[in-house]
Amino acid sequence: MWSEDDTVLISALEHFSYCPRQCALIQVERIFDENVFTLRGRRAHERADEPLLTTRENDVRIERALPLWSDALGLLGKADVVEFHDDGRIVPVEYKHGPRRERRHDDLQVCAQALCLEEMLGKTIAAGAVYSIQTRRRRDVPLDDELRQATRDAIVAVRALNNDAGPLPPAVNDKRCPKCSLLDACVPATVVAARHDRLAANLFAPVPTEELS
Ligand code: SF4
């Protein structure tokens, strides 16, 4: 059994993929700020979590807000939607609301959901999907070996981060920051400037005279 500290939340994989510092601020420092993107995302998830948990559309049974776990991987979370097709296919679908961004973050999350479902149901899942509330478009996510390994690697990395008592990962201070809900808490420009100041101070520090002789 995994301890609480060693159990990784599926949602943390997305945060880690976006920015390891963001993941550490949420998981380790327990800081979470809402911004317009997270509020819209929460609304999207609330819709997927609406009370009618099981429905049927033609040849697909749809389960919403399905709890997920993997004892093998120490993973825990919830799927927005899982489709059970009459032809045997099982497809986890992650609902997203927000600006277009790198697909990798969402793909890791969908893959982690699929890994849980495979263990829970004893079935192989070939693909998941990401549904954009904004564009009403759906994108298939093939679960190839590379994505599965990247997901497993991310789980290990998040677990290490959760148990790391050292300093937070460095601020990325790039185009990700303006869209980040933790911008105020993180203050990436200040952190990066302070790091540069420290490096400069070390670089130009006077050399002790005994080292010159
Ligand atoms: S503000 Fe930037 S560096 Fe800080 S957590 Fe967000 S993305 Fe990462």
Side-chain angles (χ1 to χ4, degrees):
M1 290 298 289
W2 298 90
S3 69
E4 193 179 333
D5 284 345
D6 284 335
T7 300
V8 172
L9 297 178
I10 293 175
S11 57
L13 301 177
E14 182 193 8
H15 299 146
F16 181 81
S17 173
Y18 189 78
C19 168
R21 184 177 175 83
Q22 186 197 66
C23 182
L25 285 167
I26 295 171
Q27 301 295 315
V28 182
E29 303 293 322
R30 310 282 184 208
I31 295 171
F32 190 76
D33 282 345
E34 294 277 26
N35 70 3
V36 67
F37 300 121
T38 59
L39 284 170
R40 281 187 193 152
R42 191 143 61 85
R43 181 68 195 119
H45 285 270
E46 280 167 6
R47 265 187 229 155
D49 288 353
E50 275 167 4
L52 201 54
L53 294 179
T54 305
T55 54
R56 175 165 272 278
E57 287 179 17
N58 301 320
D59 58 353
V60 186
R61 176 166 59 88
I62 298 168
E63 299 282 350
R64 292 179 165 78
L66 193 68
L68 300 175
W69 66 88
S70 162
D71 290 332
L73 297 170
L75 261 185
L76 201 61
K78 193 161 66 167
D80 291 333
V81 164
V82 181
E83 297 174 348
F84 293 85
H85 294 250
D86 286 352
D87 64 9
R89 282 179 302 127
I90 300 169
V91 183
V93 185
E94 176 69 10
Y95 276 51
K96 289 295 173 196
H97 198 317
R100 271 192 55 167
R101 54 188 197 161
E102 279 182 43
R103 296 176 169 190
R104 190 65 165 179
H105 316 311
D106 301 332
D107 292 0
L108 288 174
Q109 202 174 0
V110 170
C111 185
Q113 293 173 5
L115 292 174
C116 289
L117 285 164
E118 287 184 336
E119 183 179 322
M120 291 164 64
L121 304 172
K123 300 257 171 92
T124 300
I125 298 177
V130 175
Y131 179 77
S132 165
I133 302 277
Q134 220 162 16
T135 62
R136 299 189 177 189
R137 293 176 78 168
R138 174 173 166 142
R139 175 173 66 81
D140 287 340
V141 179
L143 303 174
D144 58 23
D145 289 345
E146 189 278 328
L147 179 58
R148 287 170 183 269
Q149 190 54 51
T151 306
R152 289 195 182 92
D153 291 345
I155 294 166
V156 171
V158 170
R159 181 169 295 124
L161 197 62
N162 287 350
N163 288 294
D164 184 358
L168 290 171
V172 293
N173 196 28
D174 63 15
K175 63 181 181 185
R176 285 169 277 184
C177 299
K179 296 175 189 164
C180 175
S181 65
L182 300 187
L183 181 61
D184 290 342
C186 170
V187 284
T190 310
V191 171
V192 170
R195 198 165 70 227
H196 287 169
D197 287 350
R198 269 201 311 280
L199 285 172
N202 289 340
L203 201 58
F204 299 116
V207 180
T209 47
E210 58 270 22
E211 288 185 21
L212 295 173
S213 54

